[in-house]
Amino acid sequence: MLSIKNLNKTYHTEEGDEVAALSDINLDVADKEFVCFIGPSGCGKTTLLRITAGLEKPDSGTLTVNNVPITGPGPDRGMVFQEYSLFPWRTVLKNVTFSLELKKIPKREREKISREFLELVGLSKFADSYPHELSGGMKQRVAIARALVNDPDLLLMDEPFGAVDAQTRNRLQHELLNIWEKKKKTVLFITHSVDEAVFLADTVVVFTARPGRIKEVISIDLPRPRERTSFEANAFREHLLATLGAEIQAAID
Amino acid sequence: MIIQPLKIIAAILITGIILVSGCTSTPVQNGDEPTGLTELRFGYQPSTHQIAYMAADAKGWWLEDLEPYGITSTKDYLFPTGAPEMLAMLAGEIDVAYVGSTPPLSAIDQGLEAKIVAGVQTQGSDIVLANDLPYESPQDLVGLKIATFPPGTLQDTVLRKWLLDNDIDPKEDLSIISMTSSGAAKTALASGNVDAIFLPHPHPTVAESEGYGKVVVQSGEMWADHACCVVLVSQKLIDEHPEIVEQIIRTHIKATQYIIDNPDEAARIFSNKITAVPYDVSSQSIQDWDGEWVSDPNIELATALEYAKVQYDLGYTDKLLTQDDLFDLSFYNKVIAEMDEE
Amino acid sequence: MVQSMDIRRRILEITSIASAIIIWEIIARIINKKYILPSFTEVVTAFLELVSGGELYRDILTSLNFFAIGMGVAIAVGIPLGIMMGWFKTIDKAVDPIIEMIRPIPPLAWIPFAILWFGLTQYAAGFVIFVGAVFPILVNTYTGFRNTPRVLVESGKVLGCIKNRDLIFRIALPAALPSIATGVRVGMGVGWMCVVAAEMFGVSTYGIGWKIWHWNDLHHMDMVLTYMLVLGLIALVIDRLFRYIVQEWWLKWQTGVVV
Ligand SMILES: Nc1ncnc2c1ncn2[C@@H]1O[C@H](COP(=O)(O)OP(=O)(O)OP(=O)(O)O)[C@@H](O)[C@H]1O
Ligand SMILES: [Mg+2]
């Protein structure tokens, strides 16, 4: 579905320094696959996601989605940002209808569709609230609904639950899996949490410290719904932690 | 009715009273002390009307004549029109003002303590019309924009009365645009923003010489022998130093006679003081104007009282001012009587 | 609890205004010279006369007319130009030096050219007000656009909002609205201050500013003070009205008072 070949990316800062962010990335993601990216801070995960979204251009290498090269942002890819990204001047409902407005879908219809997606993320009651009236977790759920309403094939999520408390986070993970099962999207999901990766992913991609390379691709072939504390899950966790630990140590050195 | 409760509350606010009396008591005391006056402050305007002041100044007569009375220096302030000059006098910044005979009216009405003690000149303002406009009678001005000094000034008063005398409503039939300086008015004429200007000399001649327009009416035709500038002195000076006031009048009479006898010299003195107007222009102005330098306030008395009536009718003054409010002729009459004896 | 706090604040406000008036009255009575400081009662009397004579309305309408012309053009020029400069770097680089040259010139310095370009018309007065009002609007619009959070623009892009026009009107403009509202509000304050100067050079024989000069020329300081207070009062009303409209309609989505 998504195919990344020989991708390199170096940033040029305003002071003239060069920051090598990604080096020689090769990755194939299957249709409907749930992929988690994990790696030390600053290794280029966000960069890779942004390039996939079309917000950034790689220096070299090719990216294709369903065999179509990526040249810029497109409706086939939706993104949920790490920061809160709702339009504060729009109500929750209007945030969700945004992409449908651009597609010139009649008001009635787009609101009907949007309400379905709000239902999906459990926020029907807040349709007419403004973002500043929502909690952090609720904001990210709206952001997910807003991305999904555009019906993308590929959903890109950059630590969407990074800023919410542990309990909410568990709930949101459940909800996300529910949605993913219902809507059958391909998901690229960045996380810092090994637990999260093991709970969510079909495949976990571990990155090396900067410049980011793919260190290991691990299939989490556990049946769903998963038990967070099962013996197999623990085994994956320990493995991931060991791999990551070495990289984080490398990043600090 | 509103005042009574206010007073009661005021009494309660002791702090306020202490604060206020603390601020104001000092100047009051100062004012009561008799002063040994050493400096005299004059106000005047950049007009050929008031060359008498400039001549006495240029010749050094003010200092020379007033020195026996303890005056060691004089200071003068130049004002674009009479209105700010009167404001300065209200603020106590000026002792003697050469000024049109109307600006003192509203100032005295509003509490200025000062009296007219001598005349300066009569007539001497012209309407200058844009070159391309015809003029045969006042009716030709209907629909035009005429710039002059602000309401309350002599020019504004004379112009309005003249228009009314000719059945032209100054509010409806044309627009009178008030300008705070002669420069602004001339610029407005030059740029076509107004069609005519009505200003005291030398400005009409200046405007003509620069080619902005032509003189079509002289103010003597609008109101024969109308009063123009006067010498106004503060009541404080009259009360505390009557001898100085007398000497000011003597010097003023001398200077007036001098410029009447020597118009060329008068023009030279004016151009030396008001450098923006070259000698040939001020000389031309003195040749062309219909003004007359005088020093006798009695000549200006009648029209000045008419102005008072006009301003009262316009609502510019709260009360109808009388001769006693405006004039103190005793000084001039005494000086003349003494001169006659000699 | 909240109510009693409110009442106490009101009482404090009223007391402070009342004592200011009383002190004013006392000072005026002690000085006892109308032309140095007219008393409160004299000003109230003058005000009531003006209201009953109907002249005040004409003055207010005249001034508001100049103000509306100046503000209208300032908004029509300031916001679009601020948008262009905030969004397109090349336009910013080209226009910014010119703006920085003109901006420090006080509005009053433009009066001679206002007369030469627009004659003694309402547009000349409007122009002076425009000069005063346009820069705060321009600069705040520009800043608002410059500070559009990047994540909002990128969210828009990812959701299919790609064209500059769409990005400007659907994302940057609404995001910049609080800043633009501040600019308009500051601009209105400066513009209103320019009214006094704009009416000084004889574009009309009505208007609050003109009447201040008129009565000053005639030394009626009670009238001068009355018109000064009217000037201040109207500024206050305009400001409150604007704030209300902005908060109730425009920026309802904002938390707390930002404007
Ligand atoms: N616009 C940019 N200009 C210059 N350098 C950049 C830019 N964006 C990112 N970088 C650098 O590129 C590297 C990779 O950044 P990226 O944000 O992709 O890391 P990350 O893996 O997402 O880190 P984190 O886990 O902390 O979010 C970092 O060193 C970062 O400083
Ligand atoms: Mg990141």
Side-chain angles (χ1 to χ4, degrees):
Chain A
M1 193 260 165
L2 170 67
S3 171
I4 301 172
K5 291 216 162 50
N6 306 326
L7 184 141
N8 289 284
K9 172 75 183 176
T10 302
Y11 285 111
H12 302 272
T13 63
E14 282 180 18
E15 295 85 46
D17 298 338
E18 292 195 350
V19 180
L22 291 167
S23 164
D24 195 28
I25 303 290
N26 287 284
L27 184 69
D28 281 294
V29 177
D31 209 17
K32 320 279 187 265
E33 193 176 352
F34 199 123
V35 180
C36 276
F37 288 177
I38 198 162
S41 186
C43 71
K45 303 180 295 293
T46 299
T47 306
L48 184 55
L49 214 64
R50 289 171 57 81
I51 291 173
T52 312
L55 294 172
E56 212 105 45
K57 296 243 177 297
D59 297 330
S60 63
T62 53
L63 287 95
T64 56
V65 173
N66 298 328
N67 300 321
V68 181
I70 294 171
T71 52
D76 53 343
R77 283 150 291 141
M79 182 150 173
V80 178
F81 291 84
Q82 186 170 5
E83 313 100 292
Y84 300 131
S85 61
L86 297 184
F87 304 126
W89 57 90
R90 288 173 163 254
T91 60
V92 165
L93 181 67
K94 297 272 177 190
N95 261 281
V96 180
T97 57
F98 184 82
S99 59
L100 304 178
E101 277 173 39
L102 288 162
K103 285 182 181 165
K104 308 249 189 302
I105 292 172
K107 186 172 172 172
R108 234 157 200 261
E109 201 182 327
R110 66 179 184 241
E111 290 197 349
K112 193 173 140 269
I113 300 169
S114 299
R115 279 182 200 280
E116 278 167 25
F117 279 89
L118 280 179
E119 179 80 50
L120 190 68
V121 297
L123 287 173
S124 299
K125 273 193 271 178
F126 294 90
D128 296 321
S129 303
Y130 281 98
H132 71 83
E133 295 165 311
L134 305 183
S135 72
M138 288 154 94
K139 283 181 198 167
Q140 289 306 60
R141 277 145 77 192
V142 178
I144 292 169
R146 186 176 69 174
L148 286 174
V149 81
N150 211 8
D151 199 22
D153 298 328
L154 178 59
L155 187 58
L156 307 166
M157 305 180 85
D158 190 353
E159 293 188 58
F161 309 143
V164 299
D165 65 89
Q167 264 173 313
T168 315
R169 191 172 179 155
N170 279 352
R171 231 188 42 238
L172 289 172
Q173 289 166 359
H174 269 289
E175 281 180 19
L176 179 61
L177 284 181
N178 279 337
I179 293 167
W180 172 66
E181 257 148 39
K182 265 189 228 165
K183 297 284 170 190
K184 280 298 166 203
K185 304 284 176 197
T186 309
V187 179
L188 293 191
F189 188 108
I190 296 177
T191 181
H192 269 120
S193 159
V194 171
D195 290 9
E196 195 167 58
V198 174
F199 184 67
L200 295 173
D202 294 325
T203 307
V204 177
V205 179
V206 183
F207 285 79
T208 66
R210 210 179 63 207
R213 294 169 207 275
I214 294 178
K215 177 167 183 168
E216 198 176 347
V217 177
I218 303 163
S219 285
I220 313 282
D221 47 3
L222 295 176
R224 298 173 190 270
R226 288 174 182 167
E227 280 284 331
R228 284 180 197 273
T229 49
S230 70
F231 172 78
E232 293 86 347
N234 269 333
F236 276 117
R237 247 195 309 273
E238 309 235 309
H239 175 73
L240 274 172
L241 279 172
T243 325
L244 257 181
E247 279 313 315
I248 290 168
Q249 194 57 48
I252 293 166
D253 299 340
Chain B
M1 283 299 100
I2 310 164
I3 300 161
Q4 206 50 39
L6 274 180
K7 269 189 176 163
I8 294 163
I9 304 165
I12 303 163
L13 274 170
I14 306 158
T15 42
I17 294 167
I18 290 168
L19 191 130
V20 167
S21 56
C23 299
T24 49
S25 60
T26 358
V28 170
Q29 274 168 10
N30 275 355
D32 287 343
E33 280 168 26
T35 50
L37 190 65
T38 57
E39 185 180 67
L40 213 54
R41 299 160 303 172
F42 290 87
Y44 72 108
Q45 293 163 39
S47 163
T48 47
H49 295 189
Q50 302 177 1
I51 295 181
Y53 167 75
M54 299 174 216
D57 186 51
K59 296 272 169 198
W61 290 341
W62 291 124
L63 271 181
E64 197 177 294
D65 295 351
L66 289 165
E67 205 214 78
Y69 304 93
I71 300 297
T72 55
S73 64
T74 63
K75 206 171 175 181
D76 61 25
Y77 299 91
L78 186 63
F79 294 92
T81 71
E85 190 174 358
M86 288 301 96
L87 203 61
M89 202 158 191
L90 279 163
E93 294 294 306
I94 286 175
D95 307 303
V96 184
Y98 278 70
V99 65
S101 46
T102 56
L105 300 176
S106 53
I108 289 171
D109 176 63
Q110 290 298 305
L112 175 67
E113 294 184 6
K115 292 277 171 358
I116 297 168
V117 297
V120 171
Q121 69 35 279
T122 60
Q123 309 189 145
S125 299
D126 300 344
I127 296 179
V128 181
L129 188 66
N131 286 315
D132 51 345
L133 293 172
Y135 184 86
E136 261 154 34
S137 75
Q139 294 304 323
D140 291 330
L141 299 177
V142 169
L144 301 187
K145 284 182 174 175
I146 305 179
T148 190
F149 289 152
T153 57
L154 186 120
Q155 283 72 23
D156 183 78
T157 311
V158 169
L159 181 61
R160 278 173 203 273
K161 181 173 182 298
W162 176 66
L163 290 170
L164 284 171
D165 288 347
N166 285 283
D167 292 324
I168 298 170
D169 185 337
K171 280 197 165 160
E172 301 296 329
D173 298 339
L174 46 69
S175 42
I176 297 180
I177 288 160
S178 80
M179 292 276 174
T180 48
S181 75
S182 53
K186 281 181 285 188
T187 309
L189 178 66
S191 61
N193 280 309
V194 297
D195 306 301
I197 55 176
F198 180 48
L199 295 177
H201 267 272
H203 307 298
T205 308
V206 173
E208 254 187 339
S209 75
E210 310 243 317
Y212 302 157
K214 53 187 188 286
V215 172
V216 291
V217 187
Q218 298 196 301
S219 63
E221 303 167 46
M222 299 162 81
W223 185 332
D225 297 322
H226 73 83
C228 194
C229 293
V230 295
V231 179
L232 183 75
V233 299
S234 73
Q235 192 64 43
K236 189 158 170 271
L237 195 65
I238 290 174
D239 293 342
E240 291 172 13
H241 302 283
E243 73 290 352
I244 291 181
V245 177
E246 267 177 46
Q247 184 53 50
I248 288 170
I249 291 170
R250 272 188 226 110
T251 306
H252 173 64
I253 293 172
K254 177 165 72 176
T256 305
Q257 196 54 52
Y258 177 81
I259 56 174
I260 291 170
D261 296 341
N262 306 286
D264 275 353
E265 185 60 15
R268 206 173 302 283
I269 288 168
F270 181 80
S271 290
N272 283 344
K273 190 93 181 174
I274 312 298
T275 47
V277 184
Y279 166 73
D280 51 332
V281 176
S282 40
S283 171
Q284 186 68 42
S285 163
I286 290 170
Q287 264 177 50
D288 290 352
W289 78 330
D290 69 345
E292 203 174 321
W293 290 308
V294 299
S295 51
D296 186 353
N298 296 288
I299 296 172
E300 307 206 41
L301 185 60
T303 31
L305 293 177
E306 268 194 77
Y307 295 151
K309 174 87 172 61
V310 172
Q311 295 220 346
Y312 176 68
D313 290 342
L314 282 168
Y316 291 177
T317 61
D318 292 338
K319 53 186 179 291
L320 179 57
L321 297 164
T322 63
Q323 178 179 339
D324 287 345
D325 295 325
L326 301 173
F327 284 85
D328 188 335
L329 300 173
S330 63
F331 292 96
Y332 182 83
N333 293 340
K334 186 172 169 219
V335 167
I336 288 296
E338 281 169 10
M339 283 167 82
D340 285 346
E341 271 171 36
E342 283 161 19
Chain C
M1 199 46 211
V2 175
Q3 232 178 0
S4 82
M5 286 275 282
D6 235 34
I7 291 169
R8 279 178 65 180
R9 217 187 58 197
R10 272 287 135 74
I11 290 175
L12 197 70
E13 272 177 17
I14 292 169
T15 320
S16 113
I17 292 172
S19 11
I21 289 174
I22 290 163
I23 291 174
W24 165 15
E25 182 77 18
I26 295 167
I27 297 177
R29 275 164 193 279
I30 290 172
I31 294 175
N32 197 23
K33 277 189 184 133
K34 202 166 147 189
Y35 60 82
I36 289 185
L37 181 65
S39 69
F40 174 69
T41 37
E42 278 162 347
V43 168
V44 169
T45 314
F47 179 75
L48 292 177
E49 254 174 52
L50 281 176
V51 171
S52 63
E55 189 165 311
L56 188 61
Y57 302 112
R58 201 162 161 186
D59 290 323
I60 292 174
L61 286 180
T62 306
S63 292
L64 284 178
N65 176 40
F66 298 154
F67 182 65
I69 292 171
M71 278 310 296
V73 180
I75 288 172
V77 171
I79 295 180
L81 193 58
I83 289 174
M84 306 285 269
M85 290 175 65
W87 194 258
F88 301 104
K89 281 231 165 68
T90 34
I91 296 185
D92 180 25
K93 288 208 177 100
V95 180
D96 186 62
I98 304 169
I99 303 263
E100 287 310 308
M101 282 270 294
I102 301 173
R103 193 154 75 107
I105 302 172
L108 309 204
W110 286 96
I111 288 177
F113 282 108
I115 298 172
L116 290 172
W117 293 342
F118 299 98
L120 293 166
T121 62
Q122 54 183 345
Y123 303 108
F127 177 73
V128 175
I129 293 162
F130 159 80
V131 174
V134 72
F135 292 108
I137 298 175
L138 174 69
V139 170
N140 278 281
T141 306
Y142 171 83
T143 314
F145 261 69
R146 267 292 144 93
N147 294 341
T148 310
R150 194 174 80 152
V151 68
L152 296 186
V153 175
E154 290 183 343
S155 293
K157 284 185 179 168
V158 171
L159 290 167
C161 193
I162 313 278
K163 280 179 283 183
N164 266 325
R165 225 194 79 198
D166 282 338
L167 284 169
I168 288 173
F169 288 106
R170 290 178 187 269
I171 295 175
L173 186 63
L177 272 188
S179 185
I180 294 173
T182 306
V184 171
R185 192 168 157 228
V186 174
M188 288 203 302
V190 179
W192 188 248
M193 285 182 201
C194 293
V195 164
V196 182
E199 292 177 2
M200 185 168 63
F201 51 86
V203 294
S204 156
T205 46
Y206 286 92
I208 301 169
W210 193 82
K211 283 295 164 67
I212 289 179
W213 299 112
H214 174 80
W215 289 114
N216 174 54
D217 283 341
L218 297 172
H219 316 300
H220 280 251
M221 292 309 171
D222 49 346
M223 292 298 231
V224 172
L225 198 52
T226 304
Y227 274 102
M228 280 166 63
L229 293 176
V230 169
L231 198 72
L233 216 61
I234 289 178
L236 193 73
V237 170
I238 291 175
D239 191 64
R240 284 290 152 89
L241 210 66
F242 180 74
R243 240 159 63 166
Y244 177 81
I245 291 170
V246 162
Q247 260 160 35
E248 290 299 308
W249 303 94
W250 233 18
L251 301 177
K252 223 177 152 186
W253 49 271
Q254 276 198 314
T255 30
V257 184
V258 180
V259 179

